Every structure is written in structure tokens, then in C-alpha cells.
Amino acid sequence: MSGGAEAAERTGGGIAPAAGGAPARGDRATGRDQAQDRAQDQIAAARSGNDPEAGDASGGLDRSLFRYIWRHSKRDQILICAVVLSSLPLYFASLDLPRRIVNEAIQGHAFEKGNETAKFLVLRLQMPDWFGHDIALFSGFDVDRFELLFGLSSMFLLLVLINGAFKYWINVAKGALGERMLRRLRFQLFSLIMRFSPDALRHTKASEVATIIRDEVEPIGGFIGDAYILPAFLGTQAATAMAFILLQNVWLGLLAAGVVGVQFVVIPRLRRELLRLGRQRQLASRRLAGRVGEVVDGIAAVHSNGAEAWERAEIGHRLGGLFDLRLRIYRRKFMVKFLNNLLAQMTPFLFYCIGGYFALKGQLSIGQLVAVIAAYRDLPPPLKELIDWDQQRLDVQVKYEQVLQQFLPERLLGLDAPGRDESLCGRLAAEGVGVQEPHGPVLANVSLSLPLPALVGIVSDGGPAASTFGRVLARRTVPTSGRITLEDHDLAEWSGAALTRRIAYAGVDPILFPGSLRDNIVYGLNRRPPEGAAADAKALAEARRTGNPVEPFPADWIDYAQAGVADAAALDALILDWLTRIGMGEEVYRFGLLGQVDPERHPDLAARLIEARIAFRERLAAEGHANLVEPFDPARYNRQATVAENLLFGVPTTTALTGRALAEHAVVRLVLDRTGLADDLVTMGERIAATMLEIFRGLPSGHPLFEQFSFLSADELPEFEAILARRTATEASAERHGGGRLNRIRRRWIGLGRYGSADATRLIALPLAYIEPRHRLGLIDDAFRDRLVAARAELRAALDEAGMGGVDFYDPDQVCAAAPLRDNLLFGRINQSVADAVETVTATGTALVQEMQLAPAITRVGLDHQVGPEGRFLSSVQRAVVSLVRALIRRPDLLVLDGALSPMGENRARTVLGLLLERFGRENSLVVVLPNDRVADRFALVLRAAGTQIHGPETPAAVPASPSGDETSRTGSEASGAEAPAGAGIAAPAAAVSARAEDETRPEPARVEQDVKA
């Protein structure tokens, strides 16, 4: 990896490993290993120090856009410019050929002396006069007048093709160059975001920063490829054309140069106002994006306070201001374009007039005049593009400066440099620590000393001092004065990667990312880049060229050694052990029942599920309860399933076959029409709509009946009422005018067809969710069931023939990967017409799960449960547990809890705190910010906040013994003599945890029964 890429990677703080890629081994590493790691760190730092890109990363972006471009792309710029220069001789030759075609071939100047032939394709190397003479390379061919005409014309066509190929290569090359630089710039900005100081983060809106990386640097990236190449390419072309014109006639050349000079002087001056307006528009757009992001983040408050109208009015006002700005930009822009086009068209007029005069006077040949006009035809486009380039340059410089303001060096934390990497054991001292906020000091001159490891409680007085000091200890807040030392060594001497590995923090607002429970819990272990993983050579080369990371992704980045386990299975066991002990094992088991089983990822569980499915069916039959579950049978209609489920006989894997979209699917409609089921479903839809209108008329939208009959919502009632009204009008018209062909055509013409395509689709969608035993409307008979089962096979064949797929079909001998695990075990639907069927089936399933010991495997499937954006699919308690376990499995030397247990409730928080107090204090330290002193006596040392001061430490008078019989009040100095390495005291040894996880993560029978019932 280049030094810049290494530097950028280290900006991630806790995300990246220590410099040099050394695995996080903590005190488990030997002194020799640590020395080697530090040496690698120093080598990497030296390399990055010699790389200009690392300089950018350390101090933000380069102040000069063109210097930034040249620094990172000079090799490509020089290469492309060399190709541009090599294309100029051929371009000049293409300008001269029209003159030769007119003069030599058409007018016959090559045959003036009575010669019947002329030389064609003479190749001569022209040498200076002082050298002696020209060197003939090829004497050419003797051709007549027609052959000369066709030969010169063919040469002109060939040069056009060659010049076009040059332009194609140059444009593609500079486009690729621009995209590479845009990739580099975006990655560098993202790396700098991860280095924002806490103060900068408080004053930065996430939506605005995201808009900068996504949208605002896009035009900068587009300009980067043109920064040097476009003026070189267009400028040399324009200069070549101008030189050619001057060689033909000096006066015409000076005339063209004068018009070009006016364009270059007047047009840029007129565009200055465009720059100012563009700057205002960009700032207004950024503020609009920030405001929209604020509204989206606080949408719950908007709804609860009824402020929708006010928010719409404010956004409308902002959009109005943007409209005015853009309108002024358009007026100025097109006025400038009008003047530019006017000047460009004036020159051909002057050429025709003055050049024609010179031709009539004999001072200019017709061929020269044609060549001059043709050359000038190629002159305005590059000149216009050069003027546009200059406009774009000024505009992009403004954008770059505005982006630069968001990433100033003073807003960034320093790069992680090699430093100490030692266990956080010893005397921890705060020396004059102060934290200053805009409204005033939060901490002022705090000085105290703590022996680590220890159990420390910080009792809050209701102010922010206790939480702030906890964040200072966790390195989440940088003190504005003073320092934190460990054994007289400033913690700033430790490398950032070492501190993020040895210190864990869990706050009151857990931060979760979209993904599974497992992904969020192991997030802190994603530190070790995989070694020897296969990588695409082309992608790797592009990553190196753009300063991006070269480590493979996606791949297994988990540092199992830091968690104290050997592999992924042992890590899952450790995670489930902690989740069970903290009280979330039941929820994870329930997630597993509702999760999906991938036969490739869980082959053993998939095989056991087929076995359990058969055993479950046999047990129900043996108990005389076979009628309680109607199994899925390819040859039978399942009365307990919906019409849509019976038609598909599987689980949709695409939204095109889900819900009401199924009625619009082209293949489905074709099969329904072919089997005659479409008319039956329309008739069923009519009856359902009429019944629902009769039942729901006058009921409020939140009435429970809407949930029982889930065909339509209250908002859809008027729509179906209008559909049925159109049917009534059609029937009345048919009764009045008869059913003749002309009357049917007339009704269809005036819109009184029985049902249009849209109405029929809406009616077909209604019965797709119909279940006879549940809704009891008497709409399905045996004939309909038989035809639907026949259509099921036809639909499957039609989907396969169309190559569309989209359904994971039910198979008695296989696991349906798209269906929940619970449905795969049941493989049918519970008979809802039998009383207590759910309870009986649940009891049988619970006993079977326990006997076959499937609960641990099901719980592991629960780790794949998706948490949603910001963890919204979890409750606040579940989010708090995930955040806590994420910190615990890292086995940190110091764990700081600041309100992390408050969402759990008082009783559960006490239990979890007791568990943590039992595990910490011997080899690892625990610091907890307490809202009061109710449980302060359970800590070995207590600090108390008072205003902006932290007093202590004090030792409680009595500390109860832990459940294991060991005292949890021993101080850090008493525990420091233990031989176990740091991190070993957080959880039992990984081997023991893995061995007993099968038993400890197994849900109790009562809980399994409750969850299967769900």
C-alpha cells in the first residue's frame, strides 16, 4: 500500500489496525512481538512521511486545487499531453489538404505546364537551409488528375479518422484520470471525516458532509481530468489552426486573432457575476440539504407537534430562494452565450467578404480561401470550450475552497503515530484536567489518582461533569487543559490504535449500523486485514493508483485473538453467552425462529430441520393431532393459506410477486387468463369489496375490524366504492339499451365497460389475501381449489420458461431458504378452525426442539437478525445490550459505562451491573457513571462530581461479597499481582465458554413454548 493509503487508513482510529497491520494481541503478545510491531509502525510512518499524499491527509486538503491535481496525476497528465503533441502534425496536415485538393486537383495547378501526370504521396524530410538540402524518403506515384483528386480526398478521410482516434483516446484517458482523482478525493474526504475533532463533530451536520462527498465534489472530479489536458489539447489545436490561417494570409489571420482576443477578454468578464450567483446557489443548496436532514431525523417530533404545515412552508420558502437564484443564473448565462455565438458568427462573414476580395484581386487563391474557412470552422469550437473551461475552472475553484473550509487542519485530530502499546495497569492520574464548552467550563482543574485495575463509580450531581470525565477517561473527549497519565506517562504517548483496542465505551445512545446483530457486535473486532486473500489484480492496481486501501473487502477482518477465541463458531458461542447472561437470549432465540436458514451457510441445521419436520408430523399423528396442521402438498389446496400462497406454492423472493403487485405481474396474469381464474377472482373481488363497504361504512380508520379483514384500508374504501359504482352504471346501461354489439362498443367508448384493466387488477388483488377459515365469506368451492392447484403447476412452468424466477418453491424434502425457520419446521399452516390448535401445536414443537437440541442452532440463526437503520428494528433495551456486548467481547483493559444500563430498567440494570462487577476489577478496570449513590457501595473506589469538580477517590465503608464468594472490593493495587493477562478477567476462557454455550444458550422450555407460539 502507498504511504498515503496507509495514512488514510489510520485516520479511521478504532476501525483500522495499528500501523503496519500488526494484529491486536495486547499483553498476550511477547515483548519481542511488540518490538517488531513498533518497528513496522516506524517504517510505515517513515514511508508515509515521504509521501506527499500523507501530507494532505495529515493537514487536510491541499490549499491549491491545481497543485493537488498535479501532485497526484502528473505522470498521467504528462503522458496524455505527449499524445496531444504527437497528434498536431497530422492535424495540421488535415487543415492543408483542402487547399491542395482545390488548387492542385480541381483547378489543376499540378498540371499547369502540360504535364499529364503529377507526383502523389511524395515523402520528403525538410531540413534547414544551412544543413544543405531536403532528404527524399519516397519519390511518390505518377497519377493523373482524377487519381490525384481521389488520392488527396482519401488522404483527407484517413487523416480525419486518425485525428478522431486521437480525440477518442485522449477523451477516454482524461475521463479515466478524472474518475481516479474523484475516487481519491472522496476517499480522502471520508478519511478526514473520521478524524474530525469532537468540537468539529458537534458543529457539523451529517447530511451536509454527506452531500459534499456525494454531490459537491462531483464537478471537481469532472474538472480534474480537464485541468491540464483540455487547455493543452484545445489550445494547441487552436494555435495550429491560427498558425495555418496566418501562413495563408496575414490579414485574415490578424482578423481572426482580433475576434478571438475580444472573446477571451469580454466573455470572462461577463461571467464573473455567474460565479457569484453560483456560489450563493451552492451554499443555499447545502443549507437546504442540511435542513431536510434535520426534519427527517426529527420527523417524530414534527408529527407529534403537528408542525407539518410550518415545515412545508419553510422548505417552500427555501426552494423559492433557490428558484430566484437559478433564474438569475439562466438569464446571465444565456446572455453570455448569445454574445459568444454572435462573435463566433461574425468572423465567417468577414472571411467571405474580405477573403473573397483578396481572391478577386489575385492575392489569395481559391484553395487558400477554402482552406482558411475550413480551418476557421475548426477554430471556434476549441475556443468556446477553452472559455467554458476557464469558467469551469473558476467555478470549481470556488467549490473546492468551500469544501476546503469544512476540512481545515484545525478541525482535525492528528494522525495516529507509533506509540506505546502497554496494558493500562498502574497509577492513573488526572493532572489539572479541564474541558471547556462554548457555554462555559464543564470540568475545571480536576486532579486525582486511581490505581488500575479497579472498580470505579463516578456519582453524578445532575450536571454534565461526571459524564464528561467518563468520556475523558474513555478518550472520547479531548481535554482542553491538563493531561491524563499512567505511571507518569501521558496517555497521548500511546498510539491511537492501541487505546481504542484497550479502552471500550458504552453510552446512553448506542450507535448501531444497518446489518445483523452479529455484524454490530463484532464491529469492534474488525481490525485485522485478511492475509493472503485473493484479490483482483486490476482492482488492486486501481486502488494503489488512487490511494485507496488495498486490503480485500468483503473479507473476514475479525481479530479472533483479541476476543480470545479460535474461530467464528467459538466467537458466536461467546456472543451468545454474553447475550444470555445479560438477558437477551430469549429475544435472539425468537429472532432465530423468524430468521431464514441458508442451506449453504447452515448445512447441518438444514439437514436437522428436514429430520425435525418429519418427526414433528409423526408426533402429531401419534398424539392424534394430525388434523391440527394442514401440511403443504403440491397436489392439494391448503385451506389455511391465502389464495396467493396456494397459487405460488412458495415464498416470493422479489417484490414483483409480493402482495398486490402479484395481480399486476405479466406472467401471473397470463396464467390466470389462460386458466379462467381471472374472472373468478374478479367476481370474488366484487363480493369482498361490497361486503367490506357494508361492514366498514361509518367506522373510524383505526377500528379493529380493519386488522381482522386485512383486504383493504380505510383510505381505499372510496376507490372500491367508485369501482362498484362504475359496474352498476354499466349494468344499468346494458339493461336500458340492450346488449347488442353496437351498444357494447358505445358503452366502452364512453367509459362504461364492465371493468377496465386497472379496475380488474384492483379487484383481483383483493382475494389474494383471502383465507376461508379465517374470513368465512364462503367464496371458495372445491372446483375453484382444483383449478387453482392446476394453475399452480402451470405458473411454475411459465416462470421457468420466462427465466424470471422470483419464487422459492416449497419442497417436502428441502429447506425453503426464503421462508422463516419456524415455517420450515411446521411446513404447513395451523388449522384455525380447531380450538386450542395453536397451543397444542406449540407444545409439541417445543418438546421436539428440546429433545433434538435444536435451540442453540436456532439461537445462532438469530444473530443474523437485521437491526435496521440506526438499530430501529430493535427496542431501546436491545440496542443497549448490543452496544454493551460489543464492548465486552473486545476484552478491554478499561471499560467505561455512561448511562449504558439505564434503558434496561432498574432491576435488570442491577443484575447486569452485578455480573460486570463480578467479572471486572481483577485484571481489567470498570468505570461506571452513576446517576446517584444507591449502588455506590458496590464499587471499590468512588468519585463524586460537584459542579465542575470531581472529588475522590473514596472507599465505601462496606462492600458486599460477589456471588462467587470473591470480594469485589479489592483495589487495583491488590489485583495487579495477578498473573493472568489483561483482558482475561472479563469472561471465562474462550474454550470453556464455547464448550458450555450449547447448554447456557439453550432457552428454557417455557420460553421456547412461548416463542414457537409467536
Side-chain angles (χ1 to χ4, degrees):
M1 185 198 304
S2 67
E6 292 174 348
E9 186 67 20
R10 287 195 298 276
T11 60
I15 298 176
R25 293 187 295 269
D27 285 342
R28 292 175 294 276
T30 63
R32 180 179 178 181
D33 291 338
Q34 290 183 353
Q36 292 176 349
D37 293 344
R38 290 173 188 168
Q40 293 177 358
D41 290 342
Q42 293 171 359
I43 294 173
R47 290 178 178 173
S48 63
N50 295 329
D51 191 345
E53 183 184 342
D56 288 348
S58 62
L61 297 176
D62 199 305
R63 297 282 180 169
S64 170
L65 174 61
F66 278 84
R67 188 166 60 243
Y68 176 83
I69 296 172
W70 182 254
R71 172 181 299 171
H72 298 296
S73 64
K74 55 179 175 292
R75 185 182 64 179
D76 292 333
Q77 301 276 4
I78 293 173
L79 173 63
I80 300 174
C81 288
V83 175
V84 168
L85 293 176
S86 65
S87 69
L88 293 180
L90 296 175
Y91 176 66
F92 185 89
S94 69
L95 295 177
D96 187 58
L97 271 176
R99 176 189 64 82
R100 294 185 60 190
I101 291 173
V102 173
N103 288 345
E104 297 180 10
I106 297 177
Q107 290 188 322
H109 292 175
F111 306 90
E112 286 181 345
K113 298 180 180 179
N115 297 327
E116 296 183 358
T117 61
K119 290 293 185 180
F120 171 66
L121 207 60
V122 176
L123 300 180
R124 181 181 295 109
L125 182 60
Q126 295 184 351
M127 306 299 293
D129 293 339
W130 54 266
F131 191 79
H133 55 82
D134 296 343
I135 300 176
L137 301 178
F138 182 65
S139 59
F141 302 101
D142 291 327
V143 295
D144 59 19
R145 193 163 180 174
F146 289 100
E147 291 174 341
L148 181 62
L149 173 63
F150 292 131
L152 292 175
S153 300
S154 299
M155 284 187 60
F156 179 78
L157 177 60
L158 178 62
L159 289 176
V160 168
L161 294 176
I162 293 175
N163 288 327
F166 271 113
K167 288 183 179 180
Y168 171 80
W169 188 91
I170 292 169
N171 286 328
V172 171
K174 68 185 182 67
L177 171 61
E179 287 302 314
R180 288 192 185 100
M181 289 296 295
L182 179 61
R183 176 181 175 181
R184 176 188 292 274
L185 179 59
R186 280 176 167 161
F187 177 77
Q188 192 168 355
L189 292 179
F190 177 76
S191 300
L192 292 175
I193 288 174
M194 291 193 292
R195 288 179 46 208
F196 272 4
S197 65
D199 184 67
L201 289 173
R202 282 196 298 268
H203 295 85
T204 300
K205 296 179 182 178
S207 56
E208 291 188 6
V209 177
T211 301
I212 290 175
I213 294 181
R214 183 191 63 196
D215 296 330
E216 294 190 17
V217 299
E218 185 78 26
I220 299 177
F223 174 78
I224 285 175
D226 296 335
Y228 290 96
I229 298 169
L230 192 67
F233 181 46
L234 298 177
T236 53
Q237 276 199 339
T240 302
M242 185 64 67
F244 179 79
I245 295 174
L246 285 170
L247 289 175
Q248 307 309 311
N249 188 277
V250 176
W251 297 108
L252 292 181
L254 293 177
L255 179 64
V259 174
V260 170
V262 172
Q263 286 180 294
F264 269 95
V265 172
V266 175
I267 301 301
R269 289 182 178 272
L270 294 176
R271 285 181 167 175
R272 289 179 181 175
E273 179 67 11
L274 276 176
L275 293 177
R276 189 183 66 82
L277 294 175
R279 189 181 303 114
Q280 293 181 7
R281 182 200 60 79
Q282 183 177 358
L283 292 175
S285 298
R286 186 185 299 174
R287 294 191 189 103
L288 174 66
R291 181 56 183 161
V292 171
E294 290 176 352
V295 173
V296 172
D297 292 339
I299 195 69
V302 174
H303 291 326
S304 61
N305 290 281
E308 293 90 345
W310 188 88
E311 293 290 354
R312 282 194 292 267
E314 189 202 7
I315 295 299
H317 175 72
R318 291 176 182 265
L319 291 175
L322 268 175
F323 171 79
D324 291 338
L325 278 174
R326 294 190 71 90
L327 193 60
R328 292 166 62 187
I329 289 173
Y330 283 137
R331 287 171 178 167
R332 169 72 63 162
K333 175 181 178 180
F334 290 112
M335 183 189 70
V336 172
K337 184 170 290 189
F338 167 76
L339 292 176
N340 192 31
N341 291 335
L342 178 63
L343 290 173
Q345 296 301 321
M346 283 291 293
T347 308
F349 161 75
L350 296 175
F351 277 2
Y352 285 124
C353 181
I354 301 175
Y357 172 78
F358 285 145
L360 292 177
K361 295 283 289 182
Q363 300 178 8
L364 187 69
S365 67
I366 300 298
Q368 288 177 313
L369 179 58
V370 171
V372 166
I373 294 175
Y376 185 77
R377 181 193 61 195
D378 292 341
L379 189 59
L383 292 177
K384 179 179 178 301
E385 291 187 42
L386 279 174
I387 295 174
D388 292 340
W389 173 87
D390 185 64
Q391 166 70 24
Q392 186 183 12
R393 175 186 64 83
L394 297 174
D395 189 29
V396 166
Q397 280 185 335
V398 171
K399 287 182 171 65
Y400 184 78
E401 291 171 1
Q402 291 175 344
V403 171
L404 191 65
Q405 295 302 314
Q406 299 290 331
F407 299 91
L408 294 175
E410 52 266 26
R411 305 190 72 197
L412 307 175
L413 298 175
L415 275 175
D416 184 19
R420 303 173 69 92
D421 188 0
E422 301 173 358
S423 175
L424 301 183
C425 294
R427 188 178 67 87
L428 181 73
E431 302 176 0
V433 172
V435 175
Q436 182 77 21
E437 296 287 350
H439 58 271
V442 179
L443 291 178
N445 196 26
V446 174
S447 298
L448 52 87
S449 176
L450 298 171
L452 298 184
L455 301 174
V456 182
I458 307 177
V459 181
S460 174
D461 63 345
S467 293
T468 302
F469 188 68
R471 292 178 64 84
V472 169
L473 292 179
R475 310 298 291 176
R476 295 302 178 95
T477 296
V478 180
T480 54
S481 62
R483 63 174 186 163
I484 302 291
T485 63
L486 182 68
E487 292 293 335
D488 297 328
H489 292 284
D490 195 331
L491 280 186
E493 299 177 11
W494 270 254
S495 69
L499 288 178
T500 55
R501 189 175 66 250
R502 295 183 176 278
I503 300 177
Y505 174 86
V508 68
D509 295 320
I511 299 176
L512 303 184
F513 298 100
S516 66
L517 279 173
R518 181 186 290 102
D519 294 337
N520 278 275
I521 291 175
V522 305
Y523 185 73
L525 297 176
N526 288 326
R527 294 172 173 271
R528 175 177 292 178
E531 298 178 359
D536 184 8
K538 182 178 179 182
L540 196 63
E542 285 293 339
R544 287 196 178 98
R545 294 183 69 178
T546 55
N548 277 232
V550 296
E551 291 83 5
F553 190 89
D556 188 3
W557 280 62
I558 298 176
D559 186 355
Y560 296 103
Q562 183 178 349
V565 296
D567 51 26
L571 181 59
D572 280 354
L574 178 63
I575 293 172
L576 292 174
D577 177 65
W578 274 116
L579 290 173
T580 302
R581 292 179 181 278
I582 296 177
M584 194 176 162
E586 297 182 9
E587 289 97 325
V588 179
Y589 175 77
R590 186 179 300 115
F591 293 154
L593 286 176
L594 300 177
Q596 297 174 337
V597 178
D598 186 351
E600 295 183 359
R601 290 184 55 204
H602 310 98
D604 296 337
L605 178 58
R608 296 292 304 282
L609 273 180
I610 302 300
E611 179 184 348
R613 177 190 298 172
I614 298 173
F616 179 66
R617 189 81 56 227
E618 293 174 350
R619 177 164 299 189
L620 284 177
E623 295 175 353
H625 297 147
N627 64 321
L628 297 186
V629 175
E630 185 169 353
F632 292 129
D633 188 339
R636 291 181 54 195
Y637 184 96
N638 192 308
R639 298 170 184 265
Q640 311 302 325
T642 65
V643 173
E645 288 175 322
N646 274 283
L647 179 63
L648 294 177
F649 196 68
V651 180
T653 58
T654 174
T655 55
L657 292 169
T658 304
R660 294 187 177 180
L662 181 64
E664 302 175 356
H665 197 277
V667 176
V668 174
R669 288 299 297 272
L670 178 65
V671 172
L672 292 179
D673 292 336
R674 187 185 303 163
T675 57
L677 287 172
D679 294 336
D680 293 341
L681 292 174
V682 168
T683 303
M684 292 173 62
E686 289 179 357
R687 295 182 59 183
I688 291 174
T691 304
M692 296 302 102
L693 288 172
E694 182 179 351
I695 293 176
F696 295 144
R697 186 173 283 111
L699 294 181
S701 59
H703 199 276
L705 279 177
F706 283 102
E707 297 182 4
Q708 180 180 352
F709 296 95
S710 55
F711 300 108
L712 45 82
S713 62
D715 296 336
E716 295 175 309
L717 291 177
E719 179 183 352
F720 284 95
E721 190 171 8
I723 292 175
L724 295 182
R726 285 193 288 271
R727 181 200 64 175
T728 303
T730 300
E731 294 174 348
S733 175
E735 183 178 353
R736 184 180 307 111
H737 300 288
R741 181 176 181 182
L742 292 177
N743 286 327
R744 289 198 303 271
I745 295 175
R746 182 185 65 83
R747 284 194 295 272
R748 191 177 298 111
W749 179 260
I750 64 177
L752 287 180
R754 177 171 175 80
Y755 288 117
S757 177
D759 288 352
T761 300
R762 297 291 285 160
L763 289 174
I764 290 174
L766 282 182
L768 293 178
Y770 182 78
I771 304 174
E772 183 65 54
R774 175 184 177 185
H775 301 118
R776 302 177 183 274
L777 299 181
L779 301 179
I780 297 180
D781 55 18
D782 291 338
F784 177 83
R785 296 187 184 97
D786 293 340
R787 286 161 49 208
L788 191 69
V789 170
R792 171 192 298 170
E794 189 171 344
L795 176 61
R796 181 169 186 172
L799 289 173
D800 292 341
E801 182 180 354
M804 302 180 71
V807 181
D808 192 356
F809 296 100
Y810 291 127
D811 189 331
D813 299 325
Q814 293 182 0
V815 169
C816 181
L821 186 150
R822 180 185 58 190
D823 288 357
N824 273 290
L825 179 62
L826 195 63
F827 201 69
R829 291 289 182 263
I830 297 177
N831 192 341
Q832 303 184 35
S833 61
V834 179
D836 299 329
V838 175
E839 288 75 10
T840 304
V841 171
T842 300
T844 303
T846 299
L848 182 65
V849 167
Q850 293 294 330
E851 290 178 11
M852 298 187 65
Q853 298 182 350
L854 291 175
I858 294 175
T859 309
R860 283 192 177 89
V861 174
L863 292 178
D864 295 327
H865 179 74
Q866 298 296 307
V867 305
E870 299 179 359
R872 294 174 186 171
F873 296 169
L874 302 179
S875 66
S876 59
V877 176
Q878 292 168 344
R879 290 195 294 270
V881 172
V882 170
S883 178
L884 179 59
V885 175
R886 177 166 61 192
L888 291 172
I889 65 169
R890 290 169 48 194
R891 303 194 302 167
D893 293 350
L894 172 63
L895 173 62
V896 179
L897 302 182
D898 181 12
L901 306 182
S902 58
M904 301 181 186
E906 185 174 357
N907 292 333
R908 186 173 179 181
R910 282 177 176 268
T911 303
V912 174
L913 181 60
L915 173 66
L916 297 179
L917 291 174
E918 177 186 353
R919 298 298 182 94
F920 282 84
R922 298 172 179 84
E923 294 86 22
N924 309 85
S925 302
L926 175 66
V927 176
V928 182
V929 178
L930 305 173
N932 49 59
D933 56 2
R934 292 179 185 174
V935 295
D937 58 348
R938 304 183 67 178
F939 291 85
L941 301 174
V942 175
L943 305 177
R944 296 185 181 275
T948 59
Q949 293 292 317
I950 303 293
H951 300 293
E954 60 186 53
T955 303
V959 180
S962 67
S964 62
D966 298 329
E967 295 182 357
T968 59
S969 59
R970 65 179 64 180
T971 63
S973 58
E974 293 172 337
S976 60
E979 296 181 358
I986 297 181
V993 172
S994 303
R996 70 169 182 266
E998 297 293 324
D999 297 328
E1000 293 185 346
T1001 61
R1002 179 180 295 117
E1004 298 296 331
R1007 186 190 72 198
V1008 175
E1009 180 176 351
Q1010 176 185 358
D1011 294 337
V1012 172
K1013 187 184 300 183

